[in-house]
């Protein structure tokens, strides 16, 4: 299952406050359209309605493909500045961890995250 939460975001450019729905896990076997959103750079992004700033939200995210049996973590916090970290007030994640899930690699940037997904898909 994919899980979605809402986070309070303050735009770092204009301080506009908004509540943004974000995913903490994406199961593309059950929600294949979410894979498209990731590769279209539409998932877990904040697009400020006030000033137009767009950025990837520093939310831990697990990508899970049950058919191809792989998973990839997106863990951006470690590469974030203190200011960027303060943008997000809460992060929640809950999921069952299976055998291959515990071996899932971690990506620290959005580009790296997409590349790791493509690498797994090309191995099949
Ligand atoms: Zn803004």
């Amino acid at each position: 299952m994919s899980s979605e939460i809402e986070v309070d975001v303050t735009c770092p450019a204009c301080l506009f406050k908004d509540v943004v729905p974000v995913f903490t896990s994406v199961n593309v076997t059950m929600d294949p359209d979410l894979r498209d959103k990731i590769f279209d750079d539409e998932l877990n992004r904040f697009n400020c309605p006030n000033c137009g700033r767009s950025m990837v939200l520093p939310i831990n995210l697990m990508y899970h493909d049950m058919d191809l049996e792989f998973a990839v973590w997106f863990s951006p916090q470690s590469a974030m500045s203190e200011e960027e970290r303060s943008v997000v007030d809460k992060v929640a994640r809950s999921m069952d961890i299976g055998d291959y899930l515990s071996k899932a690699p971690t990506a620290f940037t959005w580009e790296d995250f997409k590349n790791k997904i493509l690498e797994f898909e090309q191995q099949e």
Side-chain angles (χ1 to χ4, degrees), residues 24-29 61-74 95-107 112-113 115-121 123-124:
T24 54
S25 72
V26 166
N27 183 326
V28 295
T29 308
L61 170 67
M62 191 191 74
Y63 182 96
H64 184 191
D65 188 323
M66 293 195 298
D67 286 339
L68 299 182
E69 297 197 344
F70 76 88
V72 178
W73 285 102
F74 176 52
M95 62 207 69
D96 296 322
I97 303 293
D99 271 355
Y100 64 91
L101 297 185
S102 61
K103 302 189 194 87
T106 302
D112 189 32
F113 179 58
N115 286 338
K116 281 185 162 61
I117 293 167
L118 290 174
E119 279 171 25
F120 273 110
E121 290 175 350
Q123 282 170 16
E124 302 297 321

Side-chain angles (χ1 to χ4, degrees), residues 1-3 20 33 36 40 66 70 73 83:
M1 258 188 78
S2 302
S3 40
V20 183
D33 56 312
D36 295 337
D40 288 341
M66 293 195 298
F70 76 88
W73 285 102
E83 186 204 346

Side-chain angles (χ1 to χ4, degrees), residues 69-85:
E69 297 197 344
F70 76 88
V72 178
W73 285 102
F74 176 52
S75 181
Q77 272 90 348
S78 48
M80 287 274 158
S81 72
E82 210 58 47
E83 186 204 346
E84 284 169 315
R85 271 183 225 198

Side-chain angles (χ1 to χ4, degrees), residues 10-114:
T10 300
C11 178
C14 72
L15 304 183
F16 183 86
K17 290 183 193 300
D18 206 355
V19 178
V20 183
V22 297
F23 284 90
T24 54
S25 72
V26 166
N27 183 326
V28 295
T29 308
M30 295 167 83
D31 300 304
D33 56 312
L34 294 179
R35 184 193 178 282
D36 295 337
K37 283 190 137 190
I38 286 171
F39 281 88
D40 288 341
D41 296 333
E42 288 175 4
L43 195 95
N44 288 11
R45 284 194 81 90
F46 173 63
N47 297 303
C48 181
N50 187 48
C51 74
R53 169 137 177 183
S54 177
M55 62 182 203
V56 176
L57 290 169
I59 302 287
N60 286 336
L61 170 67
M62 191 191 74
Y63 182 96
H64 184 191
D65 188 323
M66 293 195 298
D67 286 339
L68 299 182
E69 297 197 344
F70 76 88
V72 178
W73 285 102
F74 176 52
S75 181
Q77 272 90 348
S78 48
M80 287 274 158
S81 72
E82 210 58 47
E83 186 204 346
E84 284 169 315
R85 271 183 225 198
S86 70
V87 167
V88 173
D89 295 320
K90 76 176 180 186
V91 174
R93 69 182 191 206
S94 60
M95 62 207 69
D96 296 322
I97 303 293
D99 271 355
Y100 64 91
L101 297 185
S102 61
K103 302 189 194 87
T106 302
F108 300 110
T109 68
W110 191 252
E111 289 305 313
D112 189 32
F113 179 58
K114 291 190 290 188

